[in-house]
Amino acid sequence: MLSGTVDIPQPLKTAIHNFRLSKHRDITRALVVKINRVQLVMEQEDLYDDITIEELANELPANQPRFVLLARPITHSDGRKSCPIALVNWVPSTSEIGMMTLHATALLRFQNAADAIRLIEFRDPDSLTSAEIDDALLSF
């Protein structure tokens, strides 16, 4: 039975902190986090530097949810450039219900730990595109 909260161990908190403070503002970066269902802890699965959104979509599992902390450079309509950090909540519709529930209960905890104001949810691998991400980031 899936009960209790999912812990965020100190090494993951350190990885999140380092990701947020990175000086690389001109490339797309992603920190992928999964939930260890047995130990009820979050674990860093991957760290990508200079990855396209389409490559990231191909790397994410088709049947398991993930939290993806994403830093992506964007250009605003007035010409300003920024590199916002967003939380991509990857929840494929083909995921097992129990894992989706566990993932949902841990979402707010991870969002707070990552200090991610922007939350973007994707359920379909075909919808995770550069255009969708950019539109979502520019709408905040």
Side-chain angles (χ1 to χ4, degrees), residues 83-101:
C83 188
I85 294 178
L87 173 56
V88 175
N89 187 27
W90 174 250
V91 189
S93 55
T94 55
S95 298
E96 186 225 319
I97 296 296
M99 199 61 200
M100 288 172 69
T101 303

Side-chain angles (χ1 to χ4, degrees), residues 62-104:
N63 298 313
Q64 297 176 355
R66 295 290 188 265
F67 299 118
V68 181
L69 203 55
L70 181 73
R72 180 163 174 82
I74 57 173
T75 303
H76 299 267
S77 59
D78 61 0
R80 289 179 297 120
K81 295 185 182 210
S82 65
C83 188
I85 294 178
L87 173 56
V88 175
N89 187 27
W90 174 250
V91 189
S93 55
T94 55
S95 298
E96 186 225 319
I97 296 296
M99 199 61 200
M100 288 172 69
T101 303
L102 184 60
H103 184 83

Side-chain angles (χ1 to χ4, degrees), residues 103-116:
H103 184 83
T105 62
L107 174 61
L108 186 58
R109 185 177 185 124
F110 184 77
Q111 186 177 7
N112 289 338
D115 196 22

Side-chain angles (χ1 to χ4, degrees), residues 11-25:
L12 180 57
K13 289 178 183 177
T14 301
I16 291 167
H17 178 77
N18 292 341
F19 182 86
R20 292 189 61 79
L21 294 180
S22 173
K23 303 232 183 274
H24 300 289
R25 300 286 181 207

Side-chain angles (χ1 to χ4, degrees), residues 28-47:
T28 299
R29 298 174 301 115
L31 175 69
V32 181
V33 175
K34 68 178 182 177
I35 295 176
N36 180 322
R37 187 178 190 167
V38 175
Q39 297 176 347
L40 291 178
V41 296
M42 294 182 201
E43 300 173 343
Q44 178 179 332
E45 184 174 59
D46 282 305
L47 176 63

